[in-house]
Structures are given as C-alpha cells and as structure tokens.
Amino acid sequence: MESAYLKSPLGMLEIKGNEDGLASVHFMDSDDVSSTTIPEILLPAVTQLKEYFNGTRTQFELKLSPEGTGFQKKVWDLLTTIPFGKTTSYQQIANNLGDPKVIRAAASANGKNPIAIIIPCHRVVGSDGSLTGYAGGLHRKKWLLEHESPVKQQSLF
C-alpha cells in the first residue's frame, strides 16, 4: 500500500492505494508528514483532488478499492451517484437500497466511508436538511457543501 499526503484547505489529507485502486482518503489531525514524494500510482488521485479544491473538477475518475462489507460497499457505490452540488438524505439512501428500514445501517456505512470527498458521504444530510454527522468533522462537511454549492454566498462585510 502506497501513501501520499496533500495539504488541502481543510487540513492535511492522507491518501492510500495500490494497483487495485484507491483505498482511503482521510483527514489528518496534524500537518506533519513523513514524506512529500507522491508515488506514481497515487498521482491521479492527488491531481484530481487538487483540481477539486481549485474548483476545476466536479467528478472524480479514479479506480476505487475501499475495504468494507458487502452492504457498506453498496452504500458507498450509491454515494458516488450523488451529483456534485446536490445532497440526499439518509432516508433516501435507505429507500434507494430497497428497504426504508435500513436507515441506521446505511447511516453507519456512510460514517465508515474510507474514501472521503471522492466517495461523497458529505453530501448526505438529515431529512430536514440539517448537517448531521461527518467523520471529518461538521466544519469540514459544511465547507465541502459550500464549496460545491452552485450559489456562492458573498460576504457583506
């Protein structure tokens, strides 16, 4: 498993993967990194994440290889269909899985997503539109949703 690090507007990201695909992208609590070289196998992921943060990429084109249960992978696959700039609810995810009663299991799988941003679990909100749970922190979820919003808020002051 190869690792790369990317300084983003939301802090340092650790990116891991191999020839099977991208395995994880997660937020680090520290900006200290042990290496600044980017393995060739991870260069597309680093490049596409930079483009995303620069506002020039709205869709990722990467081979993904997250580790998880069959159910978790179904949820993560479903998350990749949420369009840029849109949100859905945990209930809608459960409904799309074919069983409205699996809402808690779907929310749990969403929270265990190992590939932040690229598998856009940040686009899942409460049924009332509220920002609920995000493994990377609600401040990051809010930033990501605002970054993807088609309507940019202007500062009045």
Side-chain angles (χ1 to χ4, degrees), residues 37-49:
T37 59
I38 300 170
E40 190 170 327
I41 197 119
L42 296 176
L43 198 52
V46 170
T47 299
Q48 289 185 36
L49 280 163

Side-chain angles (χ1 to χ4, degrees), residues 3 9 21 25 33 66 72 78-80 85 97 101 133 137 142 148-150:
S3 296
V25 173
V33 296
Q72 287 171 332
L78 196 54
L79 295 176
T80 64
L97 289 167
K101 295 186 291 270
K142 182 177 186 288
E148 295 181 3
S149 175

Side-chain angles (χ1 to χ4, degrees), residues 5-66:
Y5 300 90
L6 174 64
K7 190 167 182 76
S8 81
L10 298 171
M12 192 65 70
L13 293 173
E14 181 182 50
I15 303 156
K16 290 185 176 184
N18 57 29
E19 60 280 346
D20 293 332
L22 192 62
S24 69
V25 173
H26 83 270
F27 297 101
M28 297 179 60
D29 293 329
S30 167
D31 282 352
D32 295 334
V33 296
S34 57
S35 173
T36 56
T37 59
I38 300 170
E40 190 170 327
I41 197 119
L42 296 176
L43 198 52
V46 170
T47 299
Q48 289 185 36
L49 280 163
K50 284 180 180 178
E51 292 168 350
Y52 169 84
F53 285 117
N54 288 335
T56 58
R57 176 169 292 276
T58 60
Q59 191 170 345
F60 293 96
E61 298 166 6
L62 298 165
K63 183 178 175 187
L64 305 181
S65 184

Side-chain angles (χ1 to χ4, degrees), residues 69-91:
T69 67
F71 180 79
Q72 287 171 332
K73 289 178 180 182
K74 277 186 192 175
V75 172
W76 301 336
D77 285 343
L78 196 54
L79 295 176
T80 64
T81 67
I82 305 169
F84 183 91
K86 303 287 184 190
T87 59
T88 192
S89 69
Y90 294 101
Q91 186 63 66

Side-chain angles (χ1 to χ4, degrees), residues 109-121:
N110 191 69
K112 290 183 171 84
N113 169 23
I115 306 179
I117 303 166
I118 295 168
I119 296 178
C121 58

